[in-house]
Amino acid sequence: MTAWVRGRVQGVGFRWFTRAAALRIGGVEGFVVNLGDGRVQVVAEGARPECEQLLQWLRSGDTPGHVEGVTEIWDRPRGGYTGFAIR
């Protein structure tokens, strides 16, 4: 799953908390990165229920900053990730 999060999500610890959520959920590998246009991109691979749980957290309002919206796409895992990184 790749998700793009828009709103006030940079400079507020959003990447750190996203990584912590992925680790808490478990079974999710990938990364989170700030984009030049102010959005945050989240790439998560793992079992669908765990990825959906991370997506639900992104939309929950329990994140730092202020999320205005989340857009996601689902695709086959490509692999190559070890753990969940902040980029």
Side-chain angles (χ1 to χ4, degrees):
M1 174 209 49
T2 300
W4 295 272
V5 185
R6 17 179 234 292
R8 190 172 57 84
V9 291
Q10 290 190 12
V12 294
F14 194 90
R15 291 178 301 156
W16 189 90
F17 278 94
T18 300
R19 180 179 184 270
L23 295 176
R24 183 184 70 251
I25 293 165
V28 179
E29 295 183 333
F31 65 89
V32 57
V33 63
N34 285 340
L35 299 176
D37 63 4
R39 295 177 299 160
V40 169
Q41 180 181 17
V42 180
V43 174
E45 292 188 353
R48 183 139 184 156
E50 284 77 10
C51 291
E52 286 177 346
Q53 193 173 349
L54 181 60
L55 183 61
Q56 181 180 0
W57 178 81
L58 292 170
R59 291 182 167 142
S60 71
D62 192 30
T63 62
H66 175 74
V67 174
E68 292 177 5
V70 179
T71 304
E72 88 278 355
I73 60 170
W74 294 87
D75 200 357
R76 257 199 305 238
R78 296 187 179 122
Y81 302 113
T82 302
F84 199 91
I86 296 173
R87 293 187 177 171

